[in-house]
Structure formats: structure tokens, C-alpha cells
């Protein structure tokens, strides 16, 4: 039996506003106020069914989009509309909001998405989760789950400003009918990573220093005594280096950052409580709240640097590597594509850079700035430790 899931756009004009500016017209803009009123009851119903973590995702998404619009500045200079707003919902109770900013002064494209997915574990997915050490999962499947996430990617216009990717997420599974106890198991994940096109070592040190700070705040005294200072940061830094790797290219996607997954609400992570944060949910929120403070100083310093034609070409060539990783290796993209409907495919692919080149064997000259970047991408650096 095949089940077809229908996705409903809450705003009739939302998808049109997410199109590039040259595809919009004045009548579409004029209809927005009407569609906003018509959708308010739907949004209120969704808000009533959100828990505190889901509410945090939507609230921080809205605040981030407002701050990024002001940081870009193009709405003040040329009446840019800012982030489009594309809420959606499905018959199974899943819902979310896709927000995209295009063609700005700082951001060529910025996406900031929230999704709340409700479903039932298939046997394949249950076996995968169980094999990764998640306790309380019946390998045969059948348990109800709730997966919620806030994910973002910022693709700056300038090759001198690094791309920034980040997310936080929670995967909660209801107890199996045959298990003892009635508590829902939940695991948290997330992180942030930096993808420069021209290496600035001071930027990398600043970025990793901030990553270390947020980890240190939630590192337990036991882990400091057993593994030393900054052990939580080192663990998630190494995880990030390992995860964002393109085996076919023998290079990492960027200069890393933090990446954590399967962090249990209680009892530590994969049986290794000494190197887990003291409070999984609070740590996950703290990571998210640090994103703009981590990246904004780097962007402000480099956004007005002059750009040559060769630098622009290199920018687009390296963006090709970014998309290669997303399509070939990223678990989040694969999860999103599992059963995706055509109308939500755009939300899954929203992290793709807007302009990309694939030039055959594009190898930079030895000793060039571009070659220096590749040296670092082939062998991760301990920027602050």
C-alpha cells in the first residue's frame, strides 16, 4: 500500500515571495496581507501543539531573520523585501517554516528553516538508529517519533566572507509497546562550521575560540579531571572534521567547527557520560544562540573587500565542493529526501549555493592563496588547542 502525503502552503503568496525578485509581481505582493490573516488560525493551532524546544526553534528563527536582514542592509538601500516566509504543513501533523533571503548586499543567499516531522520508525531507520547506540529503539520499527530542527546556511556574495552552516535538532521516540517505562527518549544534535574560500587564520582562530567557549561552559567537572580542559570542544571539533569530509576529493569541506549528535537527555552519550555536556538541551540552545556572535565579526571585516574576476571564479568552483558534500554524504539531506514530496523538495535543497562552477581539473597554482586553502582542507588544524 502506498500512502500519499499532501503538503499545504499556509500562505498562498509565500512560495511566490521565495522566488528570485525578477519573478515576482506587484499583485503577488498585494495579496500577502490577506493570506497572512487567513493563515493565523492555522499558526495558532500549531503553536498550541509545540513543546518548549519547538517553540525555541521558531522564536530564534524569527529573531535571526530580523537580525540578518538588518546586517545585510539592502532593505534600507533599495527596498529589499527581506526574508520570504513559506510556512507549510502536512496531513500527518508535520509542519515547518522555510525562510530565504536572496540577492542582498552581504548575502547572495541565506536560508533559515524550521521543520517538525512526525512519523513512525520504519524497520530500516530503526535498525540504523539502534546500530548507532540509541537506547530504547526497537530494531523492528513501529515506534512513533518526532524530529524537529532549525537549520541554516549563509552564502555571502563575497569570496572573502566564509559560508556559515549551522543547525540544532532533537529526535524524540515514544516508548515501544513491549518496553518497560513510559518516558519518551530524546537525543540532541547540532553544531556549526565555517567554509572559507580564502584562508584567514585569525578568522579561523576566532571562530574556534568561540566554539570552545560554548563547550567549556557545559563541560562537566568529571570530564575536566579525567580528560583535561576543553575535552568537550576537542571531541566535537574532531567529530566535525570527520563528518564534513569528501572522501572522493581527499579534502574537508571547510575549517570545521562543532558537530554533535545522539546526545541523550539523560545518562550521557552512547554510554560515555564523562564527555557529554552537563545538560543536553541547554547546551544545544546555547550553541544556537552563539551563531551570530561567532560569524558576524568575520563578515563585517571582509564584506567590502575588493573582488577580482579570478577570485569570483574560485568562489564558484569551491561552492561546487559544498554541494558535492551535501548531495553525496550529508545525513540531514538524505533524511529529508526520504519520502519528500515534490512541493517540499525546494526546502531540502535550499542549502545549495546560488551560483556554482565545475571546471575540469581546476587546480590552483603552487604557492597561491587558493593552494594554501587546499593545504589546510587536506589536513585539519588545531586552531586554538
Amino acid at each position: 500500500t502506498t500512502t500519499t502525503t499532501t503538503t499545504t502552503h499556509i500562505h498562498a503568496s509565500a512560495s511566490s515571495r521565495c522566488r528570485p525578485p525578477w519573478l515576482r509581481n506587484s499583485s503577488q505582493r498585494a495579496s500577502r496581507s490577506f493570506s497572512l490573516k487567513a493563515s493565523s488560525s492555522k499558526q495558532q493551532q500549531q503553536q498550541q501543539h509545540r513543546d518548549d524546544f519547538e517553540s525555541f526553534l521558531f522564536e530564534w528563527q524569527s529573531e535571526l531573520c530580523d537580525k540578518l536582514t538588518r546586517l545585510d542592509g539592502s532593505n534600507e538601500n533599495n527596498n529589499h523585501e527581506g526574508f520570504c516566509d513559506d510556512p507549510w504543513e502536512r496531513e500527518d501533523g508535520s509542519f515547518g517554516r522555510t525562510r530565504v533571503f536572496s540577492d542582498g548586499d552581504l548575502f547572495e543567499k541565506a536560508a533559515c528553516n524550521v521543520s517538525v516531522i512526525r512519523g513512525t520508525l520504519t524497520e530500516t531507520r530503526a535498525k540504523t538508529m539502534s546500530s548507532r547506540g540509541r537506547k530504547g529503539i526497537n530494531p523492528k520499527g513501529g515506534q512513533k517519533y518526532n524530529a524537529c530542527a532549525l537549520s541554516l546556511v549563509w552564502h555571502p556574495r563575497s569570496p572573502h566572507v566564509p559560508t556559515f552552516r549551522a543547525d540544532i535538532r532533537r529526535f524524540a521516540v515514544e516508548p515501544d509497546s513491549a518496553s518497560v517505562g513510559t518516558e519518551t527518549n530524546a537525543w540532541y544534535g547540532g553544531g556549526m562550521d565555517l567554509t572559507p574560500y580564502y584562508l584567514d587564520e585569525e578568522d579561523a582562530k576566532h571562530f574556534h575560540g568561540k566554539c570552545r567557549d560554548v563547550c567549556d561552559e557545559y563541560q562537566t567537572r568529571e570530564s575536566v579531571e579525567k580528560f583535561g580542559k576543553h575535552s568537550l570542544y576537542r571531541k566535537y571539533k574532531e567529530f566535525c572534521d570527520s563528518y564534513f569530509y569528501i572522501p572522493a576529493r581527499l579534502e574537508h569541506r571547510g575549517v570545521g567547527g562543532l558537530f554533535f549528535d545522539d546526545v541523550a537527555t539523560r545518562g550521557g552519550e552512547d554510554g560515555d557520560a564523562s564527555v557529554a555536556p552537563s545538560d543536553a538541551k541547554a547546551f544545544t540552545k546555547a550553541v544556537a544562540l552563539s551563531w551570530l556572535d561567532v560569524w558576524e565579526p568575520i563578515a563585517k571585516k571582509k564584506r567590502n573587500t575588493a573582488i577580482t574576476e579570478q577570485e569570483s571564479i574560485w568562489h564558484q568552483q569551491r561552492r561546487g565542493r559544498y554541494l558535492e558534500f551535501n548531495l553525496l554524504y550529508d545525513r540531514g539531506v538524505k533524511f529529508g529526501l526520504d519520502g519528500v514530496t515534490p512541493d517540499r523538495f525546494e526546502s531540502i535543497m535550499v542549502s545549495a549555493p546560488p551560483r556554482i562552477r565545475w571546471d575540469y581539473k581546476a587546480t590552483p597554482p603552487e604557492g597561491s592563496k587558493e593552494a594554501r586553502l587546499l593545504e589546510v582542507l587536506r589536513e585539519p588544524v588545531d586552531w586554538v588547542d
Side-chain angles (χ1 to χ4, degrees):
T1 303
T2 301
T3 302
T4 302
T5 303
T6 302
T7 305
T8 303
H9 288 276
I10 296 178
H11 294 172
S13 62
S15 58
S16 64
R17 290 188 64 246
C18 285
R19 296 172 184 169
W22 60 87
L23 292 179
R24 305 176 195 146
N25 59 46
S26 59
S27 63
Q28 289 169 336
R29 296 192 190 101
S31 68
R32 181 170 181 258
S33 62
F34 174 79
S35 61
L36 281 170
K37 294 177 182 178
S39 68
S40 60
S41 62
K42 292 277 189 181
Q43 294 179 35
Q44 290 172 0
Q45 292 175 11
Q46 290 176 357
Q47 290 173 1
Q48 292 173 358
H49 291 89
R50 295 177 192 170
D51 59 36
D52 66 320
F53 189 76
E54 293 170 354
S55 295
F56 171 78
L57 299 183
F58 283 95
E59 291 165 5
W60 185 223
Q61 178 196 37
S62 296
E63 189 172 343
L64 268 177
C65 289
D66 290 343
K67 290 182 175 181
L68 293 174
T69 299
R70 290 193 295 270
L71 177 61
D72 183 273
S74 56
N75 63 321
E76 300 175 0
N77 301 329
N78 58 18
N79 199 31
H80 194 290
E81 291 188 3
F83 278 83
C84 74
D85 193 357
D86 189 10
W88 57 270
E89 63 177 353
R90 294 198 317 218
E91 293 176 347
D92 62 2
S94 302
F95 61 96
R97 169 165 277 142
T98 300
R99 303 201 65 183
V100 183
F101 187 103
S102 301
D103 209 26
D105 290 344
L106 172 60
F107 300 108
E108 188 168 13
K109 181 182 179 183
C112 191
N113 300 342
V114 174
S115 60
V116 179
I117 307 299
R118 309 192 194 282
T120 302
L121 288 179
T122 63
E123 182 175 354
T124 299
R125 183 171 292 171
K127 286 182 178 178
T128 300
M129 293 176 63
S130 181
S131 68
R132 281 168 39 201
R134 291 190 178 184
K135 299 178 181 179
I137 301 297
N138 186 339
K140 296 181 180 180
Q143 291 168 270
K144 299 290 185 181
Y145 73 84
N146 176 312
C148 59
L150 166 60
S151 58
L152 55 85
V153 61
W154 305 335
H155 290 295
R157 184 175 296 280
S158 171
H160 299 290
V161 181
T163 288
F164 180 75
R165 184 223 64 90
D167 77 305
I168 56 170
R169 56 192 179 274
R170 183 196 64 194
F171 199 100
V173 179
E174 294 182 5
D176 182 57
S177 58
S179 65
V180 177
T182 59
E183 291 189 5
T184 296
N185 290 309
W187 298 267
Y188 292 87
M192 53 181 138
D193 62 279
L194 198 67
T195 304
Y197 304 94
Y198 287 92
L199 181 66
D200 184 320
E201 293 191 6
E202 291 305 312
D203 288 347
K205 292 177 181 178
H206 159 81
F207 182 78
H208 278 271
K210 294 294 187 180
C211 289
R212 185 179 64 183
D213 289 345
V214 71
C215 288
D216 285 353
E217 184 178 352
Y218 288 89
Q219 183 172 355
T220 64
R221 181 181 302 175
E222 291 79 10
S223 68
V224 173
E225 293 174 350
K226 186 173 182 179
F227 298 101
K229 294 176 62 177
H230 317 310
S231 57
L232 188 64
Y233 160 74
R234 289 198 303 270
K235 176 179 181 177
Y236 293 154
K237 192 264 187 191
E238 291 171 2
F239 198 176
C240 188
D241 289 336
S242 174
Y243 183 80
F244 292 103
Y245 181 66
I246 308 174
R249 300 286 190 180
L250 298 179
E251 63 187 43
H252 299 262
R253 193 176 71 176
V255 296
L258 298 177
F259 186 88
F260 60 99
D261 202 9
D262 295 335
V263 181
T265 307
R266 301 173 305 278
E269 178 183 5
D270 297 339
D272 196 1
S274 59
V275 288
S278 56
D279 184 322
K281 182 164 70 171
F283 171 70
T284 302
K285 289 182 177 181
V287 168
L289 292 172
S290 73
W291 290 336
L292 195 56
D293 292 337
V294 169
W295 183 81
E296 184 175 358
I298 298 173
K300 284 184 172 180
K301 183 174 72 171
K302 297 291 185 64
R303 65 181 296 175
N304 295 320
T305 302
I307 304 169
T308 67
E309 181 180 0
Q310 177 55 41
E311 288 171 341
S312 182
I313 292 173
W314 176 250
H315 189 200
Q316 294 173 32
Q317 289 171 340
R318 294 307 305 173
R319 280 176 166 181
R321 297 287 198 272
Y322 197 94
L323 188 59
E324 286 174 5
F325 174 84
N326 281 11
L327 295 179
L328 295 174
Y329 306 109
D330 188 73
R331 286 207 309 255
V333 171
K334 291 180 179 179
F335 177 84
L337 292 176
D338 183 15
V340 68
T341 54
D343 52 345
R344 295 321 309 162
F345 186 77
E346 287 285 339
S347 294
I348 305 302
M349 294 299 297
V350 76
S351 62
R355 293 183 298 157
I356 304 174
R357 292 176 66 118
W358 277 284
D359 295 315
Y360 187 66
K361 292 187 176 180
T363 304
E366 186 175 347
S368 65
K369 295 182 294 183
E370 293 82 0
R372 170 58 182 149
L373 174 69
L374 292 185
E375 291 176 7
V376 170
L377 298 185
R378 291 183 183 124
E379 188 64 41
V381 173
D382 291 329
W383 296 104
V384 295
D385 231 14

